[in-house]
Amino acid sequence: MDTYGLFNLVVFSICVLGSETLGRARVTLPVIVHLRRDRDHYGRHLPGGRTLPSRDITLRRFFFLQGQLILLKEGDPKHILDAFCDTIFPLEAPAVIYINNPHYHNVNPAATHYFQSLTQYLGLPVITWNPEYLVTSQTHSKTRNLLISPTIHHQVKAMLSMLGRYNWTDITVVTTNETGHDDFISAVKDLTRVPKSADPYDDINNPKPRFRILETLILRNVGHEATLCQQMQSLIAADSRIMLLYSRRSQTYAIMECARKLQITGSEYVWILSMDSVPKNTKTWVTPTRLPYGLFGVWYDYGKRAMTEAIDTGVEIWTNALKMLTKDAGSSINFQTPKFTCSSNNTGFWTEGANMYEKLRSVSFTSKWGQEIDFNDAGQLMHPKLKIINIQRNGLKGGKNWTVVGHWTREGLSMRRITWPGEALGPPRGKPKRRFLRIATLRENPYVIYKEMPHGGKCGPHTVACEIYPRDKETFKRLSNETETMCCTGLSIDLLFELSAELEFDYELFEVYDGQWGAEVNKEWNGLVRVLLDKKADMVITSLKINPERSTAVDFSVPFLKTGITIIVSIRDGAISPTALLEPYDYPSWCFILLFSVHATGASIFIFEWLSPYGLDRGSALSKDHKFSLFRSLWLIWAMLFSAAVTTDTPRGISSRFLGNMWALFALVFLASYTANLAAFMITKKEYYDLSGIQDWRLQNPKAMKPPFKFGTIPNGSTETNIKSNDPEMYQYMRRYNRPSVAEGIKAVTRQQLHAFIYDATVLEYLAGQDEKCSLITVGKWGAMTGYGVAFPRGSEWIDKVNGVILRLTQKGEMERLQKFWLSGACHNNKKKDPNSNGFGQGAKSSYLGIRNFTSAFIFLAGGIALGVILVVLEHLYFRFGRNKLKEWDKRGCCALVSLSMGRSLTFKQYVTKAIDAHKRHRCTDRTCQAQFWEVQHELDAALGKVDKLQTLISHLKQQTEDRCVWRFESEDTRNRSPAKTNTPLPENAEEIHVEGASEQKPRRRQDEADTKGSDVTQVEKVRDELMKLLQDECERESVI
């Protein structure tokens, strides 16, 4: 090759090599490590080093990658700030890898906090391997940190996985006041907290364990052995079996030594140490010569290999994020780096760092070391690898040694070849051994309910066997000294089941000997309090009220249910009102509607119709087609008012029709409001003594009522004790009315032997709700508020345990559920108290409507029938006596305007029609009657024929009279064309009438008119007399028949 060819080859090589760097962004990844040595070892794992060069073609196209190792020999803030100002800021690094290994190199914890605060202020993404990083929950953090090391949060999750595997649910947290103990406690509480919305049946086949923290113990002054052991005495009091320890490794020996002296390291006790608590050196754990066999610990690698793996993993995360940037950018990329400087005050927050942080957090891959890289929203590694170590016997060399017995990974926890505490053959129960308690009780529905033992000799579900003394039902006195086995159930028994399951104890339930609740009589306690004082019972479970007197003798738990003193009275059926149908309106309203409005409107419609030219037109428009009168107007009004489906006559006048429509609107409003309120007044009324409470005047001054107000309670109970101490006069009065038991008191109230019974509020509410006839009701405000509690002898070890269970049940809503289940009743929803009642109150009770509810309707119906009978009698009296006199008075037919039927009854035609109807209805039974009936009927037919002829005659006479009153002019031609005489056919026995022309003389016309009129009148009177005579004979004959 000549010189020219060699020159071209050199130029081409320079161009090709130079093109690889031209146009590429130089990106440097600083790696900050708290170390004093081994710089070359860790430098080989940076970008551009020998062991991990960046050979990816895509990255080499856009970036020129290199790394910068920064060793912090000192962890003070000055050295950290110098590293940023001298190295990181000039490199314009878009991210930083921060390695802090407190197990390998002792660093002040404040250094980590300062570095975290500084990067958060700058907005610089950080990939960190730092077990002391303060993140203990899965909540989103504002910092831009990716955590690739296990944290306290991960350690607690691994511990709980182990506890759940062996069903160790009751735990105690033991810590010292070292840095990070608050994070450890918070992590345990967060991961064991059960959300309120959690469904216990989410996964029935694989239920999640429900952990319970018995106690959280923070040990102080660990260097003083006596003080330390005294503080750990509380672990014995809490009866703890599973302990989670977080302390410094140097403090673990002192803590475990005190635990050995207190005998809480045996086969029943499990201790699990955090990573910080395990004794170790700069490389690995140390031989646990002074620690007991079976101790567990959480472990992860932290030596030189682990730190090398952390740097490699951080570099992989960084390069994968850059690859994602190049894929999103396409052919060109605009990569921005932060412009920080320490020489001016303009160093601010890097907003573009959010994009870089999201790319870093979204990477997902498996590192070459086998670690799955996947981050949650808070930037934590989701599945770090942890180990479970266990102190076991070294079979070859003897002595003790830590052994890896489990691994906690993404797939969960795997365990094998475990040495259990005390070198036992199997895992401990994690709970104390079941103990046996004697528990006293006393019957009180619904808290403790006695039931007969089934034939099989075994109580059913939710019941427990109990020893009961036979007692007289009325006096409640004991009939025998021997007990009989029965089954007990109720709210307090359900609570006992919960206590037994939670606290792991068996029990014997028995009834107190004297059947008393516990009161101090002659300075001696009786009943339930007595058995606790005599140590015959370990606790008392029933509806025992907490009061100051009992609290001086025994100890009580926290109240599991609130109660007080209330009063129960009986409900009596009130008198059924006979005027219930009228009660929707008051009497003035009824008078105004039914008397004034109806009659005024009816009269107005008739008057408008009488005056209207389209109606009656003041009597000139009377016809057979339009019949209207005052009574028919009132009938129309009544029919419209009650929407009756009857036949009515309607007016024709516009004004009367308009008024009728207005009345229809009024009737609609009236009926709607009436029917809407009628149901409320038809409901059966109930009466009871509506006492205001224990301070009601009838209780304070019972003799003010006649007869005196009688009330009582049961003797030797909390209610009587409260009244005795607060109101001695009431106590002295009511003693004579006390009943031996609550059941007897309820019977006395139901039978009206007592007006009221005073007792525990919840018990009386239950009895009122369970009453078969719903005839009981509680009245007044609750007084002397207190609660039911579990009673113990003084200084009992069970008080705190029972309190914890009751509080947890209350928090979960279990006590509220039990209260709703046991204290509800069928009568509660049907009773409503009248808030405005005073004294002898009234209440409403929804029930079926019976005959009693319609008493008023039946009364009104019977009254209508009686009124109808009276009207029939008056009608007959009118036709027999009053009609003749009214006929003489009514000369002009005015009665027909008031009533058409009355007007017809006063006319001649009415008599004829009535006689005809009577004959039509009459039926003869012999031939003589039939002959007489045919004769009379023939005569009536002849009379009717004569009447028709007379009507025709009268109409012709009227027409002729009108023709004579008109003057007409006739010409000669008209007269010649007209006939000389007009022949008009007349009825039989009537004369022919000649109509004269207008040209005849007046004297002759007047004479003819007078003769004609006289003849017509004579004939009409003659026929009328004959008809009257025939009608009279027929009426007499009818009466005879």
Side-chain angles (χ1 to χ4, degrees):
M1 181 181 297
D2 55 3
T3 304
Y4 180 75
L6 182 61
F7 175 76
N8 290 333
L9 179 62
V10 172
V11 173
F12 176 77
S13 300
I14 294 174
C15 293
V16 171
L17 294 176
S19 64
E20 294 183 357
T21 58
L22 293 177
R24 293 191 297 168
R26 180 180 295 273
V27 182
T28 303
L29 178 64
V31 179
I32 302 177
V33 185
H34 286 280
L35 287 173
R36 293 188 176 91
R37 58 187 182 275
D38 298 330
R39 180 184 184 92
D40 296 337
H41 171 77
Y42 296 111
R44 291 195 298 268
H45 297 269
L46 299 180
R50 289 175 294 177
T51 59
L52 188 60
S54 179
R55 300 183 179 275
D56 189 272
I57 299 176
T58 305
L59 290 178
R60 293 182 60 184
R61 179 182 177 185
F62 294 99
F63 301 107
F64 181 77
L65 304 180
Q66 63 180 7
Q68 179 69 40
L69 182 65
I70 303 174
L71 297 181
L72 293 178
K73 297 182 180 181
E74 302 294 336
D76 57 279
K78 181 178 181 303
H79 285 79
I80 296 176
L81 186 60
D82 290 343
F84 274 88
C85 292
D86 298 340
T87 307
I88 298 177
F89 288 169
L91 293 176
E92 299 181 359
V96 177
I97 295 179
Y98 178 68
I99 305 296
N100 176 33
N101 192 343
H103 310 300
Y104 187 80
H105 178 66
N106 292 328
V107 180
N108 188 356
T112 301
H113 180 70
Y114 180 76
F115 182 87
Q116 180 179 341
S117 300
L118 182 59
T119 54
Q120 181 178 352
Y121 172 77
L122 297 174
L124 191 64
V126 178
I127 304 171
T128 177
W129 194 93
N130 181 16
E132 294 184 347
Y133 190 75
L134 305 182
V135 176
T136 59
S137 65
Q138 299 293 336
T139 57
H140 181 67
S141 177
K142 295 182 179 179
T143 60
R144 296 174 179 175
N145 293 334
L146 294 179
L147 198 61
I148 58 176
S149 64
T151 62
I152 294 176
H153 187 86
H154 294 123
Q155 295 182 49
V156 173
K157 290 185 70 175
M159 291 179 178
L160 295 181
S161 296
M162 181 178 176
L163 298 180
R165 182 185 182 93
Y166 299 105
N167 197 26
W168 296 334
T169 56
D170 296 342
I171 60 178
T172 298
V173 180
V174 182
T175 69
T176 60
N177 55 354
E178 290 299 317
T179 302
H181 76 281
D182 291 332
D183 303 314
F184 184 80
I185 296 174
S186 299
V188 175
K189 291 182 178 180
D190 290 343
L191 293 173
T192 57
R193 182 182 296 112
V194 178
K196 295 183 179 180
S197 59
D199 187 355
Y201 304 103
D202 282 341
D203 190 355
I204 299 178
N205 297 325
N206 187 22
K208 297 180 180 179
R210 300 293 179 91
F211 296 103
R212 183 176 55 154
I213 302 177
L214 300 179
E215 187 178 1
T216 300
L217 177 62
I218 301 177
L219 301 174
R220 308 181 188 279
N221 197 6
V222 181
H224 194 276
E225 183 179 359
T227 304
L228 177 63
C229 294
Q230 185 178 0
Q231 295 178 62
M232 294 179 63
Q233 289 282 351
S234 61
L235 299 178
I236 301 177
D239 217 354
S240 303
R241 292 295 186 272
I242 309 297
M243 272 70 69
L244 307 182
L245 178 61
Y246 179 86
S247 65
R248 199 168 61 239
R249 55 194 176 190
S250 60
Q251 299 170 335
T252 303
Y253 290 109
I255 295 173
M256 297 308 301
E257 180 62 23
C258 281
R260 184 188 64 80
K261 292 181 179 180
L262 296 175
Q263 298 181 355
I264 53 176
T265 59
S267 59
E268 297 181 5
Y269 300 88
V270 177
W271 288 80
I272 304 177
L273 279 57
S274 64
M275 178 67 180
D276 296 281
S277 304
V278 177
K280 63 181 76 65
N281 53 29
T282 57
K283 296 182 179 180
T284 184
W285 55 66
V286 298
T287 304
T289 54
R290 293 184 294 169
L291 299 179
Y293 286 107
L295 200 66
F296 293 96
V298 179
W299 185 264
Y300 55 84
D301 295 331
Y302 62 89
K304 181 182 292 185
R305 180 177 179 275
M307 297 179 66
T308 301
E309 180 181 348
I311 295 176
D312 289 343
T313 302
V315 172
E316 284 189 82
I317 294 172
W318 184 59
T319 55
N320 278 276
L322 293 178
K323 290 180 183 179
M324 295 175 64
L325 285 175
T326 58
K327 291 180 180 180
D328 296 340
S331 58
S332 62
I333 185 172
N334 183 17
F335 186 76
Q336 297 182 1
T337 57
K339 307 297 182 181
F340 297 129
T341 179
C342 293
S343 60
S344 61
N345 296 328
N346 60 353
T347 300
F349 187 78
W350 186 37
T351 57
E352 297 296 331
N355 185 31
M356 186 66 191
Y357 174 74
E358 289 299 324
K359 295 298 181 184
L360 292 170
R361 192 180 61 82
S362 59
V363 299
S364 179
F365 63 94
T366 301
S367 69
K368 69 177 184 178
W369 303 93
Q371 175 65 55
E372 295 183 5
I373 304 301
D374 195 9
F375 298 99
N376 58 17
D377 294 338
Q380 290 180 298
L381 193 64
M382 296 183 63
H383 304 288
K385 294 181 179 180
L386 294 176
K387 300 176 183 178
I388 305 298
I389 57 177
N390 178 227
I391 296 181
Q392 299 183 356
R393 188 180 298 273
N394 193 337
L396 298 177
K397 300 181 180 179
K400 303 175 183 179
N401 190 28
W402 288 102
T403 304
V404 177
V405 295
H407 295 273
W408 186 74
T409 60
R410 183 189 189 97
E411 288 75 20
L413 179 67
S414 59
M415 303 284 290
R416 63 184 183 87
R417 297 180 182 179
I418 301 172
T419 297
W420 299 109
E423 296 185 289
L425 297 178
R429 296 179 63 250
K431 295 181 180 179
K433 293 182 179 180
R434 296 185 70 89
R435 298 174 60 180
F436 185 82
L437 302 180
R438 286 180 52 83
I439 302 177
T441 189
L442 191 59
R443 181 177 187 173
E444 181 80 284
N445 296 347
Y447 296 92
V448 179
I449 303 174
Y450 296 167
K451 292 184 177 181
E452 294 293 335
M453 177 67 71
H455 297 292
K458 184 177 180 181
C459 295
H462 301 287
T463 57
V464 63
C466 49
E467 299 297 324
I468 307 300
Y469 288 98
R471 301 182 185 275
D472 185 80
K473 294 183 179 180
E474 295 185 358
T475 62
F476 205 62
K477 292 183 179 180
R478 189 177 63 258
L479 302 178
S480 174
N481 292 330
E482 299 293 330
T483 61
E484 58 184 18
T485 304
M486 300 185 69
C487 295
C488 292
T489 186
L491 189 149
S492 297
I493 302 302
D494 284 350
L495 176 61
L496 178 59
F497 288 149
E498 295 290 341
L499 294 176
S500 175
E502 291 280 344
L503 302 179
E504 297 283 334
F505 65 81
D506 297 320
Y507 53 87
E508 176 191 8
L509 191 64
F510 66 93
E511 186 185 53
V512 66
Y513 182 78
D514 57 0
Q516 300 295 323
W517 288 97
E520 193 174 12
V521 181
N522 298 325
K523 297 182 179 181
E524 289 290 334
W525 286 93
N526 59 15
L528 296 171
V529 177
R530 181 79 263 168
V531 297
L532 292 176
L533 294 176
D534 294 341
K535 305 294 183 180
K536 295 180 179 180
D538 297 303
M539 68 174 67
V540 169
I541 292 184
T542 181
S543 57
L544 186 62
K545 291 174 66 175
I546 303 172
N547 58 29
E549 292 78 12
R550 292 171 179 167
S551 298
T552 59
V554 296
D555 289 336
F556 282 95
S557 67
V558 295
F560 61 84
L561 191 66
K562 291 183 180 180
T563 187
I565 296 176
T566 193
I567 309 165
I568 193 170
V569 296
S570 64
I571 301 175
R572 302 188 304 175
D573 291 335
I576 302 298
S577 175
T579 60
L581 288 176
L582 298 178
E583 290 184 3
Y585 297 105
D586 56 5
Y587 291 110
S589 299
W590 281 116
C591 293
F592 186 79
I593 294 171
L594 300 182
L595 296 181
F596 176 76
S597 299
V598 171
H599 295 85
T601 307
S604 299
I605 290 177
F606 174 73
I607 293 172
F608 291 164
E609 184 69 10
W610 173 262
L611 298 176
S612 174
Y614 294 99
L616 298 178
D617 194 13
R618 292 178 294 182
S620 62
L622 294 175
S623 65
K624 294 182 179 180
D625 297 334
H626 182 47
K627 300 176 181 180
F628 203 75
S629 64
L630 177 61
F631 280 9
R632 296 201 176 195
S633 176
L634 294 176
W635 177 251
L636 174 65
I637 293 300
W638 284 104
M640 294 173 63
L641 181 62
F642 296 110
S643 299
V646 295
T647 302
T648 58
D649 295 321
T650 57
R652 292 182 176 179
I654 297 177
S655 58
S656 55
R657 287 191 176 190
F658 174 77
L659 183 56
N661 290 331
M662 296 304 296
W663 176 257
L665 179 60
F666 170 82
L668 177 63
V669 175
F670 166 77
L671 284 179
S673 60
Y674 177 77
T675 54
N677 293 278
L678 180 62
F681 292 95
M682 296 291 286
I683 293 176
T684 306
K685 290 185 177 179
K686 303 294 183 180
E687 296 178 346
Y688 55 85
Y689 291 99
D690 192 12
L691 306 177
S692 60
I694 199 68
Q695 300 297 328
D696 190 86
W697 65 272
R698 281 158 288 195
L699 302 181
Q700 298 295 324
N701 189 15
K703 296 182 180 180
M705 292 186 64
K706 300 299 180 182
F709 196 77
K710 294 182 291 185
F711 59 93
T713 185
I714 64 171
N716 299 325
S718 176
T719 303
E720 186 187 54
T721 303
N722 184 277
I723 296 176
K724 181 179 179 180
S725 58
N726 294 303
D727 200 332
E729 294 183 2
M730 182 189 299
Y731 165 74
Q732 293 297 331
Y733 174 81
M734 64 183 291
R735 287 181 61 187
R736 71 192 79 171
Y737 302 116
N738 283 349
R739 294 296 187 268
S741 65
V742 178
E744 291 299 318
I746 296 299
K747 289 181 180 179
V749 171
T750 305
R751 298 171 182 174
Q752 303 298 322
Q753 297 174 357
L754 288 181
H755 296 118
F757 186 74
I758 308 174
Y759 196 62
D760 291 356
T762 57
V763 176
L764 295 185
E765 290 281 358
Y766 167 78
L767 294 176
Q770 295 293 329
D771 185 55
E772 294 181 357
K773 299 181 179 179
C774 292
S775 60
L776 299 173
I777 189 171
T778 56
V779 295
K781 297 180 179 179
W782 290 11
M785 294 299 298
T786 181
Y788 297 126
V790 181
F792 305 91
R794 283 288 189 181
S796 174
E797 60 178 309
W798 294 96
I799 298 177
D800 293 337
K801 300 177 183 179
V802 171
N803 286 341
V805 175
I806 293 176
L807 292 176
R808 285 193 296 273
L809 293 177
T810 303
Q811 184 178 7
K812 293 191 300 183
E814 184 66 18
M815 295 308 304
E816 183 179 359
R817 185 192 67 82
L818 292 178
Q819 181 179 357
K820 291 180 179 179
F821 177 81
W822 286 105
L823 299 183
S824 61
C827 297
H828 281 160
N829 296 329
N830 296 333
K831 295 178 182 176
K832 296 181 181 179
K833 300 177 183 178
D834 184 5
N836 300 320
S837 61
N838 187 13
F840 193 82
Q842 293 182 346
K845 171 180 173 293
S846 300
S847 60
Y848 294 105
L849 296 179
I851 296 178
R852 290 168 55 91
N853 301 100
F854 286 95
T855 303
S856 59
F858 293 135
I859 291 176
F860 272 88
L861 183 59
I865 295 174
L867 183 60
V869 173
I870 295 174
L871 291 177
V872 170
V873 174
L874 292 177
E875 187 177 2
H876 280 274
L877 293 176
Y878 164 74
F879 274 92
R880 183 172 293 274
F881 303 106
R883 185 172 54 174
N884 294 331
K885 294 183 180 180
L886 186 61
K887 178 182 177 182
E888 296 175 357
W889 176 79
D890 186 23
K891 299 296 184 179
R892 296 182 178 273
C894 296
C895 292
L897 298 177
V898 178
S899 174
L900 293 177
S901 60
M902 182 182 295
R904 287 196 301 266
S905 68
L906 301 178
T907 61
F908 172 76
K909 187 177 180 180
Q910 174 68 16
Y911 287 98
V912 177
T913 305
K914 181 179 179 182
I916 294 173
D917 293 338
H919 282 292
K920 288 181 178 179
R921 293 193 300 269
H922 181 71
R923 296 291 183 270
C924 293
T925 59
D926 55 6
R927 294 183 179 275
T928 304
C929 177
Q930 291 179 356
Q932 293 176 354
F933 179 77
W934 180 85
E935 182 181 357
V936 173
Q937 186 175 5
H938 179 70
E939 293 175 356
L940 286 176
D941 292 338
L944 289 175
K946 291 181 180 181
V947 170
D948 293 337
K949 292 178 181 180
L950 289 174
Q951 289 180 348
T952 304
L953 177 61
I954 291 172
S955 62
H956 280 285
L957 291 175
K958 288 183 178 180
Q959 183 66 31
Q960 292 173 3
T961 302
E962 292 176 357
D963 293 341
R964 292 192 186 100
C965 295
V966 179
W967 290 93
R968 298 176 180 172
F969 172 77
E970 296 182 359
S971 63
E972 188 66 24
D973 297 334
T974 305
R975 188 180 299 114
N976 295 331
R977 289 194 301 268
S978 299
K981 181 170 57 177
T982 304
N983 295 324
T984 303
L986 295 176
E988 186 180 355
N989 297 328
E991 298 179 354
E992 185 178 2
I993 300 174
H994 299 276
V995 180
E996 302 293 338
S999 62
E1000 296 188 45
Q1001 297 179 357
K1002 294 182 179 179
R1004 183 179 179 181
R1005 182 173 62 250
R1006 292 178 179 174
Q1007 182 64 33
D1008 293 340
E1009 291 177 357
D1011 296 340
T1012 303
K1013 290 182 179 179
S1015 176
D1016 293 341
V1017 172
T1018 302
Q1019 291 181 8
V1020 172
E1021 290 179 355
K1022 182 179 178 180
V1023 173
R1024 186 184 66 179
D1025 293 339
E1026 291 178 358
L1027 289 175
M1028 290 296 295
K1029 184 179 180 180
L1030 290 174
L1031 184 61
Q1032 186 176 1
D1033 294 340
E1034 179 61 25
C1035 291
E1036 291 177 357
R1037 187 176 302 171
E1038 181 184 356
S1039 61
V1040 171
I1041 293 174

